[in-house]
Amino acid sequence: MKQAVELDTLIIGGIWHVCVKFDFSRQLYPIAKSLRMQYDYRFKYWRVPESRFSKQKVIKEFSAAATVVAADLSDVAAIVPTATEKIKLDINLNNEAKHHLDRYKGILANRRYSDSTRKTYISLIQKFFSYYSDMDPLDLSMEELGKFNDEYIIANNYSINTQRQLISAIKLFYENTKHHSMEVEALIRPRKSRKIPTILEKAEIQLMIESTANLKHRTIISALYATGMRVSELLNLRMEDIHSDDMYISIRNAKGRKDRNIPLSEQLVKIFRRYYKMYRPVIYMFEGQTGQKYSSSSVNNVVKAAANRVGIIKDVSCHTIRHSYATHLLDKGVNLRYIQELLGHSSPKTTEIYTYVRPDHITRVQSPLDDFDDIVFDKKAKYSLRKPRYKHQSPGWQRKSYYKKP
């Protein structure tokens, strides 16, 4: 018999949370942790903000190993059977597609695309070719691409960025291929959405650092915030790149194959020296147990675990700390041009997104509602407007004699 799990939604700190309650179980505990739930020791239940994981998602995960008893039982009956899953696409390439894919890999390698870009482009091209496994890739046209976009990309609710990457990958392939049916000039990427980045306050980052007991993990979070580095830049950081005498760090072969120098914080120097005495890294600043580079997934897990530990309900990643670094520099009055150099942005338009996080010119505008005296809600209105005598008259037309006490 499956264990029972009680489920309900509650407002905690002004935010809706999905809450579950169950006796300790080795099966259910990992499910709660995978949903990034926090345990409330006062009321003995697990909770997660509904903005992060919906009630439908929580019910679906727990239903596989337990019997979910919700406050509204109709939710369970209505949600579990209709839960939509992504369309799975098996990679099945014909001989022509395999030949063209091998040639495409060579194009990406010769053009020195980064490992992550190559991996993404190859994966998307493989899926596109597999969707039409009975056709030669040279015979695929705009009609087939549109159908693949509608039935796979959009149906699976992939992001606009994924769709843009798909167009870029296909465009690169057919621009370097002769005698094909694809109209390369008609390939247009969807407009990129402008989202205001999520940032953390200084107090939140300080809590994350101070609550992390592991020295390596604490150093990683401190280095991300002190320098604003990307995860890839942090993982590629070598011992000789840290110049503690001249107080700067050399970032080599960063995004866009660009090098740059960034200032080294005095606090970070102290943390690095303490970290070095304990771990003694040889080549890379952050090495795994076998001496190789730390993985990006491990770094992201370190950041997310620290945020969950101090009760931060925002969706936090390593890039969130980079956004916070840039925003806090802007708060201190650092020129946007310098921030662009520190972050390694090619265009100032990329850096300008941080001006929308805390736009001073907007916050200084006073609402006309603030011109009123304090509005009292616990008293009845003294006067009310009488309706106009004729349809063509507006309520504001009446004279004072038309006002009456209710």
Side-chain angles (χ1 to χ4, degrees):
M1 185 177 178
K2 289 185 177 180
Q3 184 176 343
V5 174
E6 299 178 19
L7 182 140
D8 202 353
T9 51
L10 301 172
I11 295 180
I12 303 172
I15 298 171
W16 279 102
H17 284 68
V18 182
C19 304
V20 294
K21 194 172 186 178
F22 57 85
D23 296 332
F24 179 78
S25 169
R26 294 187 182 275
Q27 287 183 312
L28 302 182
Y29 180 77
I31 297 175
K33 296 302 289 182
S34 67
L35 292 169
R36 304 203 315 233
M37 286 185 149
Q38 289 183 311
Y39 187 70
D40 194 309
Y41 289 94
R42 294 175 300 169
F43 301 104
K44 311 296 183 186
Y45 57 66
W46 295 83
R47 59 184 173 88
V48 65
E50 200 169 16
S51 59
R52 183 178 296 174
F53 290 107
S54 64
K55 186 193 294 185
Q56 293 92 329
K57 174 70 173 176
V58 175
I59 291 175
K60 180 184 175 183
E61 294 296 323
F62 279 101
S63 295
T67 302
V68 179
V69 181
D72 186 358
L73 293 177
S74 62
D75 288 338
V76 181
I79 292 166
V80 177
T82 59
T84 57
E85 295 185 357
K86 288 189 175 182
I87 303 169
K88 293 183 179 180
L89 182 62
D90 296 328
I91 302 300
N92 183 21
L93 302 176
N94 54 41
N95 292 331
E96 292 84 359
K98 289 179 181 177
H99 167 72
H100 288 297
L101 184 64
D102 290 338
R103 187 175 60 83
Y104 186 62
K105 290 178 181 178
I107 294 171
L108 292 170
N110 290 333
R111 295 203 173 191
R112 300 292 187 92
Y113 279 83
S114 65
D115 292 339
S116 59
T117 303
R118 275 189 279 178
K119 184 178 179 181
T120 302
Y121 281 17
I122 291 170
S123 174
L124 291 171
I125 284 287
Q126 279 181 332
K127 290 176 180 177
F128 180 53
F129 289 169
S130 297
Y131 200 78
Y132 300 101
S133 57
D134 57 340
M135 294 181 65
D136 188 328
L138 299 183
D139 297 331
L140 297 175
S141 64
M142 293 292 293
E143 185 178 351
E144 282 76 29
L145 176 58
K147 185 179 178 182
F148 175 74
N149 183 64
D150 292 338
E151 297 180 359
Y152 185 75
I153 299 296
I154 295 178
N156 280 340
N157 199 25
Y158 284 112
S159 65
I160 292 178
N161 284 338
T162 303
Q163 188 175 345
R164 287 171 58 88
Q165 288 172 333
L166 171 68
I167 300 300
S168 299
I170 290 176
K171 196 168 186 177
L172 179 65
F173 172 77
Y174 285 105
E175 280 178 344
N176 293 273
T177 305
K178 297 180 179 179
H179 311 298
H180 58 78
S181 303
M182 186 67 69
E183 301 174 27
V184 179
E185 297 79 8
L187 292 173
I188 301 175
R189 302 176 188 87
R191 182 175 294 180
K192 194 174 183 180
S193 57
R194 192 195 77 182
K195 294 183 178 179
I196 296 178
T198 302
I199 66 161
L200 299 171
E201 301 299 333
K202 291 182 179 180
E204 292 176 321
I205 293 178
Q206 185 176 357
L207 280 173
M208 288 173 59
I209 296 173
E210 292 177 350
S211 67
T212 304
N214 186 293
L215 181 58
K216 179 182 284 187
H217 297 172
R218 178 181 287 197
T219 307
I220 286 173
I221 300 173
S222 301
L224 287 172
Y225 181 61
T227 61
M229 287 188 288
R230 301 180 179 94
V231 181
S232 57
E233 296 168 352
L234 180 79
L235 297 177
N236 291 323
L237 189 64
R238 294 172 176 263
M239 295 299 300
E240 64 265 24
D241 295 334
I242 300 172
H243 308 276
S244 56
D245 293 337
D246 297 324
M247 297 299 288
Y248 73 92
I249 297 175
S250 297
I251 306 295
R252 305 187 186 279
N253 198 24
K255 187 176 181 180
R257 297 193 294 273
K258 294 180 296 186
D259 296 347
R260 72 182 190 276
N261 294 326
I262 56 176
L264 178 60
S265 161
E266 294 181 2
Q267 289 277 11
L268 189 60
V269 170
K270 298 176 183 178
I271 297 173
F272 274 168
R273 286 172 178 166
R274 188 176 179 184
Y275 164 79
Y276 180 79
K277 289 180 182 179
M278 177 175 289
Y279 290 94
R280 297 287 177 180
V282 180
I283 300 175
Y284 297 101
M285 188 65 183
F286 298 101
E287 298 175 341
Q289 295 180 351
T290 58
Q292 295 181 344
K293 283 192 295 185
Y294 224 50
S295 66
S296 58
S297 59
S298 299
V299 175
N300 267 303
N301 290 336
V302 166
V303 173
K304 289 181 182 295
N308 289 333
R309 190 162 45 245
V310 298
I312 297 174
I313 61 175
K314 303 171 187 175
D315 190 10
V316 179
S317 65
C318 295
H319 224 66
T320 308
I321 298 181
R322 178 175 162 87
H323 291 322
S324 305
Y325 165 81
T327 306
H328 295 165
L329 286 181
L330 199 62
D331 291 343
K332 292 175 68 174
V334 178
N335 189 284
L336 204 63
R337 182 69 182 87
Y338 293 149
I339 297 176
Q340 178 190 342
E341 288 289 333
L342 294 173
L343 295 178
H345 289 162
S346 301
S347 171
K349 291 183 178 180
T350 310
T351 318
E352 284 175 2
I353 188 64
Y354 299 110
T355 61
Y356 297 99
V357 177
R358 287 173 178 162
D360 294 336
H361 61 284
I362 291 178
T363 55
R364 284 198 295 264
V365 176
Q366 190 177 27
S367 169
L369 183 66
D370 295 336
D371 295 336
F372 300 159
D373 294 332
D374 292 338
I375 301 174
V376 181
F377 291 95
D378 56 349
K379 294 182 180 180
K380 293 183 179 180
K382 294 182 179 180
Y383 298 97
S384 64
L385 265 176
R386 184 177 181 180
K387 291 183 179 179
R389 185 175 299 175
Y390 304 105
K391 290 184 178 179
H392 69 274
Q393 296 173 347
S394 63
W397 176 86
Q398 294 107 359
R399 293 176 298 209
K400 288 186 177 180
S401 58
Y402 284 8
Y403 286 85
K404 69 170 186 177
K405 291 186 178 181

